[in-house]
Amino acid sequence: MFRIAYLEERHNVLELEERLVADALAPRGVEIRRYTRKHIDRRSLPLDEDCFVMGTAPSVHGAMKQLGIPVPAPRDYPLALQPWLHRRVWRETLGAVEAWVSEGAAGSLFVKPAERLKTFTGRVLSHPGDLYFLGGGSRRQSVWCSTPVGWRSEFRAYVIGADVVALDHYAGDPDVRPCERTIAQAVRVYHDSGEAPAGYGIDFGVLDDGNTALVEANDGYALGAYGIAADRYAELLMARWAQLMATRLPVRN
């Protein structure tokens, strides 16, 4: 258990996720302290091994750097979970995608950033006019490409260790639920691969053909909450934070 929980506030208020954690940890005797992005940028928080930090990804990344925690690379499509994709997914450069679309290649392509810095929102590209939505970022940046599919619904599974502790709807038809046995099997395979974080979210949906498929995996240190209970949500984030703290390297002053 951590002694202090630093929760990010924006515009002098705590967002839903931070309120959930405050509600879960305050009764356990954890001291709740608010911070802002300016505190992170100035390194003015007295962070140590007794502190738990949550907030937006940029702020949590800043806290990691202050503590000497290597910032994990995104793992949207873990190798162990390839059998549950039900579509082709590959990495490419943004420049190569732009050239492919500009040349009027037949068909459509779903593209989203593969790096931590999200320079545009993932979307389907079908014709050269769609290139406007890619913005002005470097064409050398890595992106994920996939063959477009139709999603009837999308849900997020919240995982601690190898256990799914919540399954929340966030898009599409809430009555079209993914197969929970399929999700449990995928989570177990991911856990057994040794690559899964201690706490994370993993999104699954139901395709037009009825298959339950992986949408993407999400690390558990800056994870959005849908309907998950406060206690479970806080436990997931803290499990991941404790795992990250164990990777600390010496910090140069």
Side-chain angles (χ1 to χ4, degrees), residues 42-53:
R42 297 170 181 171
R43 296 200 169 197
S44 60
L45 299 181
L47 301 179
D48 59 27
E49 65 275 4
D50 293 326
C51 298
F52 164 67
V53 182

Side-chain angles (χ1 to χ4, degrees), residues 211-251:
N211 276 312
T212 291
L214 172 69
V215 179
E216 64 180 13
N218 304 273
D219 209 322
Y221 61 78
L223 183 66
Y226 295 113
I228 186 172
D231 283 344
R232 286 304 203 180
Y233 182 62
E235 289 164 4
L236 185 157
L237 295 178
M238 289 194 298
R240 179 55 171 149
W241 188 252
Q243 183 184 40
L244 289 167
M245 288 287 281
T247 69
R248 291 178 66 188
L249 301 171
V251 179

Side-chain angles (χ1 to χ4, degrees), residues 24-44:
L25 297 188
R28 304 184 190 186
V30 178
E31 181 182 349
I32 305 299
R33 296 183 185 178
R34 297 187 180 196
Y35 75 90
T36 67
R37 178 66 183 277
K38 287 184 178 180
H39 291 111
I40 294 294
D41 293 341
R42 297 170 181 171
R43 296 200 169 197
S44 60

Side-chain angles (χ1 to χ4, degrees), residues 13-34:
V13 298
L14 296 180
E15 301 294 339
L16 169 65
E17 286 79 5
E18 286 75 19
R19 294 200 306 272
L20 287 174
V21 171
D23 290 345
L25 297 188
R28 304 184 190 186
V30 178
E31 181 182 349
I32 305 299
R33 296 183 185 178
R34 297 187 180 196

